[in-house]
């Protein structure tokens, strides 16, 4: 992808000049790579990243990194923060991956949803924490093959809502399910479908960071995976969902808004991957700091304005019904 072809598009998501901000050389213990981190702000304003760390067996665990400014000066836990526990949780036998963090005011706790890599494929597990030092594990909440999950921060009509991405023979689409207690899940609804054919988000999509709550709806950044003869291309798209009925899509953009362009995104253990699992909101209430895995090798930071993302959707989005008609 040449710069000449991409500069004609409005840059909505701006890379930090010191990218990548974290990689294996920063780690206090020996690892293969670090990427796909969940993110949150702690009560004192510290940025916490819960990073996916892959060891040299190929198995992943989670490790916390903390920074005052969210850019540098990272204090990384000296040993893994959350390790797979395959004896109690057999679904974690091949590691735990890609955490998303939601602070839930009602519980006064952070809910972490992550992929547990079981013999049957990837499933979804959930754990609660107050401090990212001790965790209450709920175990697997969505059986394989399922991943790319985040909990909404408040109940909808009395029920917790979880966005996830089950694989079916018809493709990999984004679903939402509801629960009275975070353990029992039902009322499953299709939320966003992968497109078909030549589209950038054909056949396989998934939630990226947790949704951003705005006065106009839940703003969702999702990834689309395009299979090409030289491998997969992971890019990001944008959609908006109804605040009180989050399975209802209000707007969906046609084109991707962010894709692998920088060298650290194009070359790595897995080429051509940008994969955000978390964001933090800046003090201005508009700028999001998006933390993303780059080429399964490092963590990078990019910034975007929520107002601009919504403006782009107004100009470039369509409601799903129009979208489907256009697809036919
Ligand atoms: C996805 C997930 C991500 C990973 C990406 C590219 O399926 O497993 O963790 O970053 O593939 O390898």
């Amino acid at each position: 992808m040449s710069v000449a072809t991409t500069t004609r598009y409005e840059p909505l998501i701006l890379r930090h000049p010191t990218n990548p901000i974290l990689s294996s050389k920063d780690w206090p213990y020996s690892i293969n790579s670090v990427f796909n981190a969940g993110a949150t702000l702690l009560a004192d304003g510290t940025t916490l990243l819960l990073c996916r760390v892959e060891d040299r067996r190929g198995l992943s665990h989670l490790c916390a990194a903390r920074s005052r400014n969210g850019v540098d000066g990272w204090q990384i836990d000296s040993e893994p923060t959350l390790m797979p526990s395959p004896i109690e949780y057999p679904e974690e036998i091949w590691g735990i991956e890609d955490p998303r963090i939601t602070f839930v005011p009602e519980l006064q706790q952070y809910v972490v949803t992550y992929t547990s890599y079981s013999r049957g494929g990837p499933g979804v597990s959930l754990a609660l924490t107050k401090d990212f030092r001790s965790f209450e594990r709920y175990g697997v909440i969505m059986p394989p093959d399922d991943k790319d999950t985040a909990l909404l921060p408040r109940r909808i009509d009395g029920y917790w809502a979880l966005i996830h991405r089950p694989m079916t023979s018809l493709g990999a689409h984004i679903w939402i399910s509801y629960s009275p207690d975070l353990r029992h899940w039902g009322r499953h609804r299709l939320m966003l479908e992968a497109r078909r054919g030549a589209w950038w988000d054909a056949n396989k999509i998934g939630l990226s960071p947790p949704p951003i709550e705005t006065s106009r709806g839940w703003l969702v950044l999702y990834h689309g995976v395009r299979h090409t003869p030289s491998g997969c291309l992971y890019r990001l798209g944008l959609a908006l969902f109804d605040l009180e009925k989050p399975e209802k899509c209000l707007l969906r953009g046609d084109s991707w808004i962010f894709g692998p362009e920088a060298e650290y995104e194009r070359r790595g253990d897995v080429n051509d991957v940008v994969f955000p699992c978390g964001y933090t909101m800046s003090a201005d209430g508009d700028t999001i700091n998006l933390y993303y895995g780059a080429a399964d090798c490092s963590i990078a930071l990019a910034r975007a304005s929520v107002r601009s993302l919504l403006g782009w959707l107004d100009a470039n989005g369509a409601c799903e019904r129009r979208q489907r008609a256009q697809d036919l």
Side-chain angles (χ1 to χ4, degrees), residues 199-235:
W199 282 87
W200 70 274
D201 56 354
N203 306 318
K204 188 174 178 186
I205 59 171
L207 179 73
S208 274
I212 302 160
E213 188 168 7
T214 76
S215 57
R216 296 190 45 199
W218 300 101
L219 187 58
V220 167
L221 280 151
Y222 70 96
H223 56 265
V225 188
R226 185 171 192 187
H227 294 267
T228 80
S230 59
C232 291
L233 267 167
Y234 279 74
R235 302 184 180 115

Side-chain angles (χ1 to χ4, degrees), residues 153-182:
R154 57 179 173 81
R155 296 175 191 256
I156 306 287
D157 271 340
Y159 289 87
W160 300 112
L162 185 87
I163 301 175
H164 58 119
R165 203 285 306 279
M167 288 283 272
T168 72
S169 53
L170 292 180
H173 311 295
I174 299 178
W175 287 68
I176 188 165
S177 303
Y178 294 89
S179 168
D181 58 5
L182 296 175

Side-chain angles (χ1 to χ4, degrees), residues 99-118:
R100 272 80 166 185
I101 303 170
T102 303
F103 180 71
V104 180
E106 182 186 325
L107 305 173
Q108 284 298 301
Q109 296 208 67
Y110 300 90
V111 173
V112 183
T113 51
Y114 54 93
T115 302
S116 38
Y117 197 167
S118 75

Side-chain angles (χ1 to χ4, degrees), residues 35-36 52 97-98 147 165 204 234 270 273 275 296:
F35 50 112
N36 303 0
R52 171 176 173 189
E97 308 179 348
D98 300 357
K147 54 160 65 169
R165 203 285 306 279
K204 188 174 178 186
Y234 279 74
V270 182
V273 180
F275 203 92
D296 283 13

Side-chain angles (χ1 to χ4, degrees), residues 20-80:
I21 57 162
L22 281 170
S23 62
S24 59
K25 67 177 169 19
D26 302 307
W27 236 248
Y29 54 94
S30 173
I31 65 171
N32 172 53
S33 55
V34 53
F35 50 112
N36 303 0
T40 194
L41 285 180
L42 301 178
D44 67 357
T46 300
T47 297
L48 178 135
L49 297 184
L50 192 59
C51 309
R52 171 176 173 189
V53 171
E54 191 186 274
D55 65 25
R56 288 186 65 166
R57 298 172 302 168
L59 308 191
S60 293
H61 61 266
L62 308 183
C63 186
R66 295 169 172 82
S67 157
R68 296 295 313 166
N69 63 10
V71 177
D72 52 24
W74 295 96
Q75 300 286 320
I76 301 167
D77 281 359
S78 56
E79 48 190 57

